[in-house]
Amino acid sequence: MSRRVVRQSKFRHVFGQPVKADQMYEDIRVSKVTCDSSFCAVNPKFVAIIVESGGGGAFIVLPLAKTGRVDKNHPLVTGHTAPVLDIDWCPHNDNVIASASEDTTVMVWQIPDYVPVRNITEPVVTLEGHSKRVSIISWHPTARNVLLSAGCDNLVILWNVGTGEMLLALDDMHTDLIYNVGWNRNGSLLVTTCKDKKVRVIDPRKQQIIAERFAPHEGLRPVRAIFTREGHIFTTGFTRMSQRELGLWDPNNFEEPIALQEMDTSNGVLLPFYDADSSIVYLCGKGDSSIRYFEITDEAPYVHYLNTYSSKEPQRGMGFMPKRGLDVSKCEIARFFKLHERKCEPIVMTVPRKSDLFQDDLYPDTPGPEPALEADEWLSGKDAEPILISLRDGYVPIKNRELKVVKKNILDSKPPPSPRRRHSTCDSDFSQPALEEVLEEIRALKETVQAQEKRISDLENKLGQFTNGTD
């Protein structure tokens, strides 16, 4: 008589739990634009959500602690002339976020630690190089200021945000619409999925395809792919009978899958969120009301189903907190920010433990906010693993670091031959000293306005403390 042995895993009993109602973010008009992006980006300081906006594209940035009902006049980040399709926080600066839009541009924004009084309309830098809408952006995991963008022009561009320059353009590799792009752990390779049904592994600096696989999933609907910590590729897609399916592949032997599992029949594209520290992949389908999670190991069947978090409401999008933003004292191993039609609901994934001590086995050292390389070093062929930090004493976010953009040869560039004249009351021979005086006064006024905005924000926070009865 054979006894069935249950597989040993410390993550077998992970469970998900929504936060209390007063810890949600209410009254947010989540974007209704048709796009398979997650619509939400989170870091240890802020949550950013793409929202409905008249006359252009916008997203809202809220400090994590500012829960409850969001004021309808809360400042937005506006600057795009068409809907925003994707947003992504910089992994090396918690105050810098990039946005991609239907207006073909990518913009990079500096978000202040205090809540501004007016909309943020001026990006630090605007990156122009795509000819059609840009639906994907992703920061390099280890190199400072390197940003990837992919558009509906089948073009992948790598930018140096610090100079505003295009580093590389991968233009002849994709024959159709790009569905998603993902970096490997040290940022030396990319994996892409495309409407031509191919999954490609690309070395961006050599501008060559290292490996590719045609139709890892036989269905026609979009496929998603990410790298695992070991360098394998995890994919989600559809069978010929429109059943959702997941697969694990070795790019060195793309012919046969390591694992291939059918899941259920549903239309929503599964967005995979991968935690490299625990080797758990969370699958969230747009329009689903559940999150399934699996552990990837080196034992057959390699992708082990753990559990499903279910709720009543379908999700419009999902944000995934980096490991350094989690509460280690409560054995929290993941936190999602689920978007509803009018609110954002944090969902906490926890491993039940009796001890209150720090759990070393749940929290190995994790990538921190310091970049391992400069953009020029990475471009010249250097690779480096992420710089790791310990979460033993919890993570304290670094204060605002300003993103400086240095345009090369900006003084050498000649003025355009026939600039468009603007109507002005000023005389054409406006003297240089007078001009400098006006500019100096504008600068002083801007500093005064910024100081007053910060003062207003501080007073609002104090008022909040009084009304909550904490002071």
Side-chain angles (χ1 to χ4, degrees):
M1 182 177 163
S2 64
R3 286 182 61 195
R4 190 175 168 219
V5 178
V6 177
R7 186 181 71 90
Q8 289 294 311
S9 170
K10 55 186 171 240
F11 301 115
R12 261 182 55 220
H13 302 292
V14 172
F15 67 97
Q17 210 170 17
V19 298
K20 291 175 182 167
D22 61 345
Q23 293 176 303
M24 298 180 191
Y25 306 86
E26 308 262 4
D27 261 11
I28 299 167
R29 292 167 56 222
V30 177
S31 174
K32 292 186 173 72
V33 71
T34 308
C35 185
D36 276 334
S37 86
S38 58
F39 286 3
C40 181
V42 199
N43 71 15
K45 282 186 178 181
F46 302 103
V47 53
I49 300 163
I50 302 173
V51 293
E52 286 285 285
S53 135
F59 59 95
I60 190 169
V61 177
L62 301 167
L64 278 188
K66 201 171 179 67
T67 54
R69 193 173 295 279
V70 176
D71 184 353
K72 67 176 188 299
N73 297 318
H74 192 285
L76 303 176
V77 181
T78 59
H80 288 287
T81 56
V84 176
L85 301 178
D86 198 12
I87 48 177
D88 195 24
W89 287 105
C90 176
H92 308 126
N93 187 336
D94 286 340
N95 292 76
V96 170
I97 189 169
S99 59
S101 167
E102 224 168 84
D103 65 9
T104 76
T105 65
V106 173
M107 293 183 178
V108 180
W109 309 84
Q110 180 95 29
I111 306 297
D113 282 334
Y114 59 91
V115 177
V117 176
R118 289 185 298 277
N119 286 353
I120 299 174
T121 56
E122 289 297 318
V124 181
V125 65
T126 302
L127 307 171
E128 296 174 315
H130 289 280
S131 59
K132 292 186 180 175
R133 69 182 201 158
V134 188
S135 54
I136 298 163
I137 44 172
S138 179
W139 291 91
H140 193 284
T142 61
R144 188 196 307 272
N145 292 342
V146 176
L147 178 67
L148 174 149
S149 64
C152 295
D153 48 7
N154 310 339
L155 182 63
V156 176
I157 300 179
L158 292 158
W159 307 89
N160 182 347
V161 173
T163 60
E165 292 178 318
M166 188 188 295
L167 294 176
L168 297 164
L170 312 177
D171 51 0
D172 294 326
M173 297 190 177
H174 300 90
T175 59
D176 212 329
L177 179 69
I178 300 165
Y179 286 142
N180 93 299
V181 182
W183 295 97
N184 67 348
R185 188 168 167 82
N186 67 2
S188 59
L189 297 174
L190 296 170
V191 61
T192 68
T193 60
C194 181
K195 199 175 180 181
D196 63 10
K197 297 184 79 173
K198 286 184 179 176
V199 173
R200 296 170 174 87
V201 179
I202 297 170
D203 185 327
R205 290 166 296 189
K206 291 181 182 170
Q207 301 201 21
Q208 72 184 62
I209 297 169
I210 304 292
E212 68 179 7
R213 159 80 197 202
F214 179 74
H217 303 281
E218 293 180 346
L220 298 172
R221 292 184 54 72
V223 172
R224 292 273 167 157
I226 53 169
F227 272 107
T228 69
R229 187 181 178 131
E230 289 74 28
H232 294 147
I233 290 167
F234 181 88
T235 59
T236 64
F238 293 80
T239 66
R240 198 174 287 161
M241 305 300 289
S242 291
Q243 276 201 300
R244 294 199 290 198
E245 190 174 47
L246 59 85
L248 187 65
W249 309 80
D250 181 353
N252 299 318
N253 178 20
F254 240 149
E255 292 311 305
E256 285 298 316
I258 299 171
L260 201 62
Q261 294 181 21
E262 287 184 8
M263 290 173 59
D264 60 2
T265 306
S266 181
N267 290 331
V269 175
L270 285 166
L271 307 179
F273 295 95
Y274 179 63
D275 175 14
D277 296 340
S278 60
S279 281
I280 294 178
V281 64
Y282 301 86
L283 302 182
C284 311
K286 269 198 158 182
D288 286 10
S289 54
S290 61
I291 302 170
R292 289 183 182 81
Y293 36 107
F294 298 80
E295 186 179 359
I296 300 173
T297 70
D298 50 8
E299 300 170 12
Y302 306 106
V303 181
H304 304 271
Y305 171 74
L306 290 174
N307 211 337
T308 300
Y309 164 80
S310 296
S311 59
K312 291 176 184 172
E313 297 286 322
Q315 53 230 18
R316 297 279 295 275
M318 195 69 82
F320 186 53
M321 175 68 80
K323 210 58 175 277
R324 55 197 173 89
L326 303 179
D327 186 347
V328 296
S329 66
K330 292 178 181 166
C331 295
E332 180 184 357
I333 61 160
R335 192 186 312 159
F336 289 92
F337 287 72
K338 174 181 170 177
L339 299 187
H340 299 246
E341 201 168 324
R342 299 280 302 186
K343 71 177 178 183
C344 173
E345 174 189 33
I347 295 165
V348 175
M349 297 286 181
T350 310
V351 176
R353 292 278 169 98
K354 289 179 181 174
S355 170
D356 290 336
L357 299 174
F358 178 75
Q359 307 292 318
D360 299 78
D361 60 328
L362 297 183
Y363 301 105
D365 289 355
T366 194
E370 287 303 319
L373 293 169
E374 295 299 324
D376 297 340
E377 292 177 309
W378 177 78
L379 190 62
S380 67
K382 221 172 161 188
D383 287 323
E385 292 298 312
I387 295 174
L388 305 179
I389 58 168
S390 169
L391 298 178
R392 178 172 286 278
D393 301 316
Y395 172 73
V396 180
I398 295 167
K399 285 188 178 171
N400 192 348
R401 295 187 291 188
E402 195 175 344
L403 172 65
K404 290 187 172 64
V405 178
V406 183
K407 302 273 187 186
K408 293 193 176 173
N409 302 325
I410 202 158
L411 297 175
D412 299 342
S413 56
K414 295 176 183 174
S418 53
R420 196 188 300 160
R421 273 195 77 113
R422 288 185 181 170
H423 295 294
S424 173
T425 52
C426 304
D427 196 6
S428 56
D429 7 296
F430 200 61
S431 67
Q432 186 65 27
L435 182 64
E436 284 178 0
E437 197 176 316
V438 170
L439 288 170
E440 185 56 46
E441 191 174 345
I442 289 170
R443 202 175 296 123
L445 284 168
K446 278 186 175 175
E447 284 175 5
T448 307
V449 168
Q450 282 179 344
Q452 295 298 343
E453 283 183 350
K454 189 168 188 324
R455 177 75 181 138
I456 289 167
S457 176
D458 291 344
L459 289 170
E460 281 179 342
N461 290 339
K462 273 192 179 173
L463 187 63
Q465 287 177 355
F466 279 119
T467 52
N468 292 337
T470 55
D471 212 356

